[in-house]
């Protein structure tokens, strides 16, 4: 679809073709509106208002998508981060115990729980994958907050933002937490129709989402603000006198409630920050992560998708952009209400190209929750230790969090004091044999000792016996058709293992 790509480039087009494009864009919006009306009219009256609200948000996204001209930042306009824009975590003071109870009464914890575990070969919500000691992401989160509530005699609520993909399964799971000292609330993020890439029309034929699940998608976690407001929970918490929410991904095991950051936000001597983004130092593994920039005199998130092609290398440079966004965010509740009601949330649109099972090319329009930073007043970054960023996206991450690198304390993972340096090892496991959780677990009789590991690469048909120790840099490569069984009790230190090694029981 060439004209779509051209909208996003900076080509000067002859005025005739520009007029044509403007007309096709106007036409696309008008046709989309007709289709959305048709979808709405297929619904029974009582269900219409809710869906109408979601469609209004979708129409807004779609018209902004049509209007966008190329990358949303002009590279030359990026300013140097001003003094004090990013506060170093080590300079924060720790609140006194008698104060913590009152501080926590002002807090709501939000976990983004819209994702499925499909990329790791699991059915259902990602949050119910077992991470450690047969506990899931959700179990660990619930344990952490229950522990806070018991320790400080407070009642911090947990809010889960589900999607239509995860809601039903999540509701079943949270019943088991009924007896705990913890209030759990859920709401759903919007459900938007996927768009046919050629015709720019919605794919679904009716609003029966469950029967045509491929035709719909949740529009990224940037949808949090509108959906939270629409759910009524935002108003409820403001009425209760709560002032901030802490938002993070359910699969980031480092994203625990941090009392030092909360104390910074609630400090009466400081000008109130409406939005805080936790950033951490970039390493070579994080060069694609979003970063913080000063632009048009405001702090904002810059994602790789917004960068003009000729500046991608600059964006990846660790010296030019030292930090990346952990997606641990703190936002003031009344400020969320204000920006939603004003309609001033204009987050950059991420265009996600997909192909459906029947081969149809579709686009889905998404936004990122951190991109809202520029819509708030007095935003700041806090440069936090790497331990607050421990996402589990792949089985290589799972290997680390299941290993003896960490111990578990009230639902929080704590790095072993035996590890000499705070950085985690770099682990690469071959997709063909390790990508799916079940297969991954079958390849380890027990999780190896990784305390002194720097780097591990495993490729091909490799299995590990019991009590294996890996130290330094270890590379194990089984060529196609070969198999390597690492024997029980083996110690591999700075070793490359290749070829064929089979150990058979007799």
């Amino acid at each position: 679809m060439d004209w779509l790509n051209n909208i996003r480039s900076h080509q000067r087009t002859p005025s005739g073709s520009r007029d044509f494009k403007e007309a096709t864009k106007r036409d696309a919006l008008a046709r989309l509106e007709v289709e959305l009306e048709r979808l709405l009219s297929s619904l029974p009256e009582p269900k219409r208002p809710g869906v109408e609200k979601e469609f209004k948000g979708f129409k807004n996204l779609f018209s902004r998508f049509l209007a966008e001209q190329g990358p949303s930042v002009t590279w030359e306009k990026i300013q140097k981060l001003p003094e004090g824009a990013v506060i170093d975590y080590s300079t924060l003071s720790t609140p006194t115990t008698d104060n913590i109870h009152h501080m926590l009464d002002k807090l709501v914890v939000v976990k983004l729980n819209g994702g499925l575990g499909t990329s790791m070969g699991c059915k259902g919500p990602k949050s119910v994958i077992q991470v450690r000691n047969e506990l899931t992401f959700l179990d660990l989160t619930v344990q952490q907050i229950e522990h806070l509530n018991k320790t400080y005699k407070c009642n911090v609520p947990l809010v889960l933002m589900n999607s239509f993909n995860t809601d039903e399964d999540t509701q079943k799971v949270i019943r088991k937490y009924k007896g705990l000292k913890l209030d759990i609330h859920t709401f759903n993020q919007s459900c938007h129709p996927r768009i046919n890439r050629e015709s720019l029309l919605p794919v679904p034929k009716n609003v029966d989402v469950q029967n045509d699940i491929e035709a719909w998608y949740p529009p990224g976690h940037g949808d949090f603000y509108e959906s939270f407001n629409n759910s009524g929970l935002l108003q409820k918490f403001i009425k209760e006198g709560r002032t901030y929410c802490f938002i993070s991904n359910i699969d980031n095991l480092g994203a625990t409630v941090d009392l030092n950051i909360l104390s910074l936000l609630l400090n009466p001597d400081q000008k109130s920050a409406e939005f805080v983004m936790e950033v951490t130092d970039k390493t070579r593994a994080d060069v694609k992560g979003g970063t913080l920039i000063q632009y048009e005199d405001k702090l904002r998130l810059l994602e790789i998708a917004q960068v003009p092609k000729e500046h991608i290398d600059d964006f990846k440079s660790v010296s030019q952009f030292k930090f990346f966004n952990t997606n641990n965010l703190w936002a003031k509740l009344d400020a969320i209400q204000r920006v939603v009601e004003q309609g001033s949330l204009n987050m950059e649109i991420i265009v996600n190209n997909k192909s459906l099972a029947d081969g149809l090319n579709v686009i889905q329009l998404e936004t990122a929750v951190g991109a809202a930073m520029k819509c708030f007043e007095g935003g700041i970054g806090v440069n936090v230790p790497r331990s607050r960023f421990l996402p589990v996206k792949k089985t290589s991450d799972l290997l680390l969090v299941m290993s003896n690198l960490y111990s578990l304390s009230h639902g929080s993972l704590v790095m072993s004091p035996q590890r000499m340096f705070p950085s985690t090892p770099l682990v690469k496991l071959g997709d063909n044999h390790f990508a799916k959780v079940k297969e991954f677990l079958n390849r380890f009789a027990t999780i190896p000792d990784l305390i002194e590991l720097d780097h591990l690469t495993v490729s091909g048909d490799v299995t590990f016996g019991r009590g294996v120790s890996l130290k330094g840099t270890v590379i194990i490569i089984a060529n196609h058709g070969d198999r390597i069984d690492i024997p029980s009790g083996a110690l591999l230190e700075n070793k490359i293992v290749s070829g064929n090694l089979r150990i058979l029981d007799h």
Side-chain angles (χ1 to χ4, degrees), residues 28-39 55 58 62 192-197 199-206 212 215-216 360 362-363:
L29 188 58
R31 291 200 335 253
L32 180 95
E33 286 178 334
V34 169
E35 278 299 302
L36 293 180
E37 274 305 315
R38 191 185 61 72
L39 285 171
F55 279 5
F58 174 68
F62 187 78
H192 285 178
R194 283 178 165 152
I195 304 163
N196 181 320
R197 200 169 149 192
S199 67
L200 288 193
L201 288 173
V203 172
K205 298 287 174 266
N206 57 48
D212 191 9
W216 300 86
L360 182 70
V362 297
I363 49 178

Side-chain angles (χ1 to χ4, degrees), residues 277-283 285-293 300-307 315-317 321-329 350 368 370-371 373 389:
M277 178 179 286
E278 292 185 35
V279 295
T280 191
D281 292 347
K282 252 189 192 186
T283 67
D286 317 304
V287 289
K288 290 183 178 171
T291 191
L292 258 190
I293 58 169
R300 69 191 264 181
L301 175 65
L302 176 66
E303 299 274 14
I304 196 162
Q306 294 155 243
V307 177
F315 175 82
K316 289 180 174 179
S317 147
F321 298 103
K322 295 188 178 67
F323 312 118
F324 77 96
N325 167 30
T326 62
N327 222 34
N328 301 347
L329 309 165
I350 301 155
M373 183 175 208
F389 183 66

Side-chain angles (χ1 to χ4, degrees), residues 102-200:
H102 300 295
M103 286 171 29
L104 287 170
D105 280 341
K106 304 270 184 220
L107 183 68
V108 177
V109 174
V110 177
K111 292 286 179 182
L112 305 171
N113 184 43
L116 291 166
T118 38
S119 63
M120 290 164 77
C122 298
K123 281 189 166 61
K126 187 172 183 183
S127 55
V128 299
I129 293 175
Q130 290 187 358
V131 200
R132 194 174 170 115
N133 303 4
E134 296 185 355
L135 297 170
T136 66
F137 289 107
L138 201 47
D139 291 337
L140 295 177
T141 300
V142 166
Q143 271 193 15
Q144 286 163 22
I145 295 173
E146 194 203 22
H147 177 63
L148 264 187
N149 286 343
K150 277 183 170 163
T151 308
Y152 299 106
K153 300 186 174 42
C154 55
N155 187 19
V156 176
L158 170 62
V159 178
L160 301 173
M161 178 166 90
N162 300 334
S163 67
F164 63 85
N165 286 319
T166 61
D167 186 53
E168 196 181 327
D169 289 336
T170 302
Q171 298 300 347
K172 287 177 191 158
V173 170
I174 57 181
R175 286 181 204 144
K176 71 176 181 183
Y177 306 126
K178 277 276 192 284
L180 303 180
K181 184 167 171 25
L182 175 75
D183 290 335
I184 301 180
H185 305 270
T186 65
F187 69 95
N188 272 16
Q189 67 183 110
S190 303
C191 174
H192 285 178
R194 283 178 165 152
I195 304 163
N196 181 320
R197 200 169 149 192
E198 298 309 320
S199 67
L200 288 193

Side-chain angles (χ1 to χ4, degrees), residues 194-481:
R194 283 178 165 152
I195 304 163
N196 181 320
R197 200 169 149 192
E198 298 309 320
S199 67
L200 288 193
L201 288 173
V203 172
K205 298 287 174 266
N206 57 48
V207 192
D208 186 351
V209 176
Q210 292 307 324
N211 271 340
D212 191 9
I213 212 144
E214 265 216 317
W216 300 86
Y217 75 100
H221 41 52
D223 183 56
F224 161 72
Y225 308 100
E226 297 260 359
S227 295
F228 190 38
N229 183 62
N230 289 346
S231 73
L233 285 170
L234 175 59
Q235 296 75 3
K236 167 187 155 63
F237 293 132
I238 290 172
K239 267 202 194 109
E240 287 174 6
R242 298 185 187 275
T243 48
Y244 277 93
C245 62
F246 170 50
I247 310 156
S248 61
N249 296 353
I250 191 97
D251 64 5
N252 178 7
L253 294 172
T256 55
V257 171
D258 188 279
L259 298 171
N260 297 9
I261 295 176
L262 185 59
S263 175
L264 167 80
L265 293 173
L266 296 174
N267 183 347
D269 303 334
Q270 190 179 317
K271 188 175 157 290
S272 158
E274 292 186 348
F275 197 98
V276 169
M277 178 179 286
E278 292 185 35
V279 295
T280 191
D281 292 347
K282 252 189 192 186
T283 67
R284 281 195 189 80
D286 317 304
V287 289
K288 290 183 178 171
T291 191
L292 258 190
I293 58 169
Q294 179 83 351
Y295 192 85
E296 294 173 341
D297 297 322
K298 287 196 99 166
L299 270 189
R300 69 191 264 181
L301 175 65
L302 176 66
E303 299 274 14
I304 196 162
Q306 294 155 243
V307 177
K309 281 195 176 58
E310 64 274 21
H311 289 289
I312 293 284
D313 286 343
D314 299 327
F315 175 82
K316 289 180 174 179
S317 147
V318 178
S319 59
Q320 267 179 287
F321 298 103
K322 295 188 178 67
F323 312 118
F324 77 96
N325 167 30
T326 62
N327 222 34
N328 301 347
L329 309 165
W330 304 71
K332 204 157 186 264
L333 297 177
D334 58 4
I336 294 176
Q337 190 170 24
R338 186 189 74 239
V339 295
V340 171
E341 285 174 0
Q342 281 177 354
S344 57
L345 274 171
N346 57 337
M347 293 167 280
E348 287 72 27
I349 292 172
I350 301 155
V351 181
N352 200 340
N353 290 296
K354 299 254 179 189
S355 291
L356 302 188
D358 61 5
L360 182 70
N361 289 329
V362 297
I363 49 178
Q364 49 191 55
L365 306 177
E366 303 175 9
T367 56
V369 63
M373 183 175 208
K374 63 179 182 183
C375 312
F376 289 84
E377 296 304 318
I380 51 171
V382 175
N383 185 14
V384 296
R386 182 73 183 206
S387 56
R388 290 193 57 72
F389 183 66
L390 194 59
V392 180
K393 302 288 181 199
K394 296 177 157 184
T395 52
S396 48
D397 304 319
L398 204 51
L399 180 69
L400 296 177
V401 299
M402 293 176 93
S403 76
N404 61 344
L405 283 168
Y406 295 97
S407 58
L408 205 52
S409 167
H410 307 293
S412 300
L413 288 181
V414 184
M415 174 76 83
S416 164
Q418 288 174 283
R419 183 153 175 90
M420 299 290 278
F421 21 80
S423 63
T424 51
L426 199 58
V427 174
K428 294 178 184 170
L429 301 177
D431 279 349
N432 288 347
H433 296 82
F434 288 87
K436 308 235 182 306
V437 173
K438 200 172 165 191
E439 200 175 3
F440 156 84
L441 290 172
N442 284 338
R443 292 186 170 274
F444 294 93
T446 58
I447 300 294
D449 164 8
L450 307 182
I451 289 281
E452 292 178 45
L453 178 71
D454 301 323
H455 183 127
L456 172 67
T457 297
V458 183
S459 176
D461 185 358
V462 179
T463 62
F464 293 79
R466 293 184 164 278
V468 172
S469 264
L470 304 172
K471 299 182 179 187
T473 297
V474 178
I475 298 170
I476 306 168
I477 296 175
N479 294 328
H480 186 67

Side-chain angles (χ1 to χ4, degrees), residues 71-96:
S72 57
V73 293
T74 305
W75 196 256
E76 294 65 37
K77 283 168 69 177
I78 295 177
Q79 300 156 294
K80 197 174 181 314
L81 283 177
E83 197 65 40
V86 177
I87 297 169
D88 197 296
Y89 182 83
S90 62
T91 65
L92 299 183
S93 53
T94 304
T96 53

